Amino acid sequence: MRRAVALLLLQCGLCGSWALEETRDTAAQTNSLDQVLAKVDQLKVILDNAMRRVERLEKENKALVTTVMVRETEMDKLKKNAALMARVSACERNIKKLQTENTDLKTNLDQLTKENTAQGAKLTTLETRLAASETEVDTLHIQNTAQTGQLTDLETRLTASEKEVEELKTERITLRARVAECEKNIEKLQTENTALDTRVTASEGKVEELKTENAALDTRLTTSETKVEELKSENTAQDAELTTMGSRLTTNEKLVNDLQADNTALDTRLATSERKVEELKIETTDRPKVAFSAGLTNAGFIGPFNGENTLVYSKVFTNSGNAYDITTGIFSAPVKGIYFFRYTAMGMRTSNKMGVYLTKNGQRVFGNVQDNYFGSHEYLSGGVVLQLERGDRVEMRLPQNWGLYDDEFNHNIFSGFLLFSNAS
């Protein structure tokens, strides 16, 4: 950060001098000395204004620079001694480099422009360094006592560096004397004046931007200091969480391996299931579609009769395959297989038994009966799964002296369908 501030001051202060140094290296042809002198005077005014702005900014930023330097010093002292010495040595080398780079001000100006462009990236890097410093503060705090003496020496060396910067400013005054040489570089000065004005304006704008960024940086530094203490308390919990997460990661890795093995088995099972599905599709396509459902009648009371009678369910709802005969009430199996049959029955005659039998080829399979003592709606229902050969007959029968009741509400229903064919 100190290097960035120093470079900013040198940029603003030496902007005009660098432009004059650039003009020194080119061979100029004099066409209008009066115009050049007027332009030089104008440049002097611009340079003086820039210098005054720089001085004002130096005063305004003095406190901020001091604060930033103190903050960086406090953070830097937490670094390893080798890193501190390297940074100080680098700072000294940079100062010496600036002294030697006065002979090539145009190159330095281009480099400084690039560095100004990269200030945003440097600020981002500084934010990263601040975030990293927050995690290192607790560890480096122990080294503070041992580094106190070294920091004093470093402050002395930094003061010497600042004196060298002042010497550079003095050299800048000397460079002004070289303005006279611009008379020999008239042609290049005329072509580069516009670019110089633009670059001076850009430099002034960058100064304002850096001033704003420095204020924001100071605020963020203050915020970071408050977060350091919070992170100290969080580090202990985070260490425990990391240990726990390591254990969980090991467990998860084991689970992943188990799941991979399970997936292999599932792939095999899926392939087998898909093969079976295809087989079932073929079987389903070839299987006969047999299903029926029918209501008894709308006539009201049925029975009682003097003998057992086959019930003819005359209101057909479904008769897929036409295996149910609406005229006889008999279901005839079209293929060998397993069939399911279901019925509902209702009676409402007082003191009259109500119920039905289900028969297969004339043989009773089951029968249900219910006494009705009060003449209310009495219901029965049942179902059975039968294995039938092709041509076997199934029917519902009403026993002797029993009675039922049916109307448009379909209280009595006989249904059946094929579960699967070719049963063994």
Side-chain angles (χ1 to χ4, degrees):
M1 184 64 187
R2 290 191 296 274
R3 182 184 176 188
V5 174
L7 290 176
L8 176 61
L9 294 174
L10 287 175
Q11 177 193 12
C12 296
L14 299 179
C15 182
S17 298
W18 285 343
L20 296 175
E21 183 64 16
E22 290 175 355
T23 60
R24 187 179 67 82
D25 295 333
T26 60
Q29 297 178 356
T30 305
N31 293 326
S32 177
L33 183 59
D34 293 336
Q35 293 180 354
V36 172
L37 291 175
K39 193 65 178 180
V40 169
D41 292 337
Q42 183 180 0
L43 289 175
K44 287 181 180 180
V45 173
I46 293 173
L47 183 60
D48 290 338
N49 291 335
M51 290 299 299
R52 284 194 295 272
R53 284 194 292 270
V54 169
E55 291 176 358
R56 185 176 66 255
L57 287 175
E58 287 177 350
K59 292 179 181 180
E60 292 176 353
N61 291 338
K62 182 177 181 181
L64 179 60
V65 170
T66 302
T67 301
V68 172
M69 292 177 65
V70 170
R71 298 301 185 196
E72 288 194 344
T73 301
E74 291 177 354
M75 292 177 64
D76 291 341
K77 71 182 180 181
L78 299 177
K79 302 292 184 179
K80 294 181 180 179
N81 294 335
L84 280 170
M85 295 299 295
R87 290 183 63 186
V88 173
S89 298
C91 181
E92 293 174 348
R93 288 195 298 272
N94 289 334
I95 293 173
K96 292 178 180 180
K97 185 177 180 181
L98 288 174
Q99 292 173 343
T100 59
E101 286 176 350
N102 288 333
T103 58
D104 194 3
L105 294 176
K106 180 179 179 179
T107 303
N108 287 341
L109 179 60
D110 293 336
Q111 292 176 351
L112 185 57
T113 302
K114 293 179 181 179
E115 288 181 0
N116 286 336
T117 303
Q119 285 301 316
K122 288 183 179 180
L123 289 175
T124 303
T125 303
L126 182 58
E127 292 175 1
T128 304
R129 289 174 56 196
L130 287 174
S133 69
E134 292 174 354
T135 60
E136 296 175 358
V137 168
D138 189 58
T139 302
L140 297 176
H141 181 71
I142 301 174
Q143 302 176 359
N144 288 343
T145 304
Q147 294 176 349
T148 302
Q150 296 178 357
L151 288 175
T152 303
D153 183 61
L154 290 175
E155 290 175 356
T156 302
R157 295 175 67 181
L158 287 174
T159 303
S161 297
E162 292 175 352
K163 290 180 180 179
E164 291 182 2
V165 172
E166 294 298 327
E167 292 175 359
L168 289 176
K169 292 181 178 179
T170 303
E171 291 179 3
R172 179 188 61 197
I173 298 173
T174 302
L175 289 174
R176 290 182 179 178
R178 299 169 65 180
V179 171
E181 296 181 7
C182 72
E183 296 176 357
K184 299 177 181 181
N185 301 316
I186 296 173
E187 183 177 355
K188 184 177 181 179
L189 183 60
Q190 290 175 341
T191 58
E192 293 183 351
N193 280 340
T194 302
L196 182 60
D197 291 340
T198 302
R199 293 170 71 178
V200 168
T201 302
S203 297
E204 293 173 352
K206 289 183 181 296
V207 167
E208 295 299 325
E209 292 176 359
L210 289 174
K211 180 179 177 181
T212 303
E213 291 175 357
N214 286 339
L217 181 61
D218 182 61
T219 302
R220 295 180 65 181
L221 284 170
T222 304
T223 304
S224 297
E225 290 174 349
T226 60
K227 288 184 178 179
V228 165
E229 296 301 324
E230 297 176 358
L231 290 175
K232 285 181 182 179
S233 60
E234 292 177 359
N235 284 339
T236 303
Q238 289 177 352
D239 291 339
E241 290 179 359
L242 287 174
T243 303
T244 303
M245 292 186 70
S247 301
R248 291 175 63 187
L249 179 59
T250 302
T251 303
N252 288 337
E253 291 174 346
K254 183 178 181 301
L255 290 175
V256 167
N257 293 331
D258 294 342
L259 288 174
Q260 289 176 346
D262 291 342
N263 286 339
T264 302
L266 286 174
D267 289 340
T268 302
R269 292 175 62 185
L270 178 60
T272 302
S273 298
E274 289 175 344
R275 185 174 61 255
K276 289 183 179 180
V277 167
E278 293 300 324
E279 294 174 355
L280 288 173
K281 286 181 179 179
I282 296 173
E283 180 181 346
T284 301
T285 302
D286 296 338
R287 185 177 66 185
K289 296 177 176 57
V290 181
F292 77 96
S293 184
L296 186 56
T297 182
N298 289 337
F301 290 101
I302 303 99
F305 301 108
N306 292 328
E308 188 172 286
N309 289 283
T310 298
L311 292 171
V312 178
Y313 292 81
S314 59
K315 297 185 291 184
V316 175
F317 307 131
T318 302
N319 193 12
S320 180
N322 296 316
Y324 174 73
D325 190 345
I326 192 174
T327 60
T328 63
I330 297 173
F331 173 83
S332 298
V335 295
K336 177 182 178 181
I338 302 299
Y339 293 80
F340 175 76
F341 297 93
R342 187 179 185 280
Y343 77 92
T344 59
M346 192 273 281
M348 55 182 300
R349 192 184 296 274
T350 303
S351 300
N352 180 227
K353 290 183 181 295
M354 55 81 61
V356 291
Y357 294 154
L358 184 142
T359 65
K360 170 186 173 183
N361 296 329
Q363 300 297 319
R364 184 183 303 170
V365 177
F366 67 82
N368 285 340
V369 63
Q370 177 69 45
D371 290 318
N372 193 338
Y373 296 104
F374 305 103
S376 60
H377 294 70
E378 294 290 344
Y379 285 91
L380 293 172
S381 64
V384 65
V385 176
L386 296 177
Q387 179 176 322
L388 302 179
E389 299 292 332
R390 181 177 181 181
D392 283 349
R393 297 175 293 106
V394 177
E395 58 188 296
M396 301 296 298
R397 299 181 65 83
L398 181 65
Q400 181 180 359
N401 296 324
W402 292 13
L404 299 174
Y405 180 87
D406 203 2
D407 54 25
E408 67 273 11
F409 293 105
N410 300 316
H411 303 288
N412 297 266
I413 293 177
F414 180 34
S415 302
F417 56 87
L418 173 66
L419 292 174
F420 50 89
S421 59
N422 299 324
S424 58

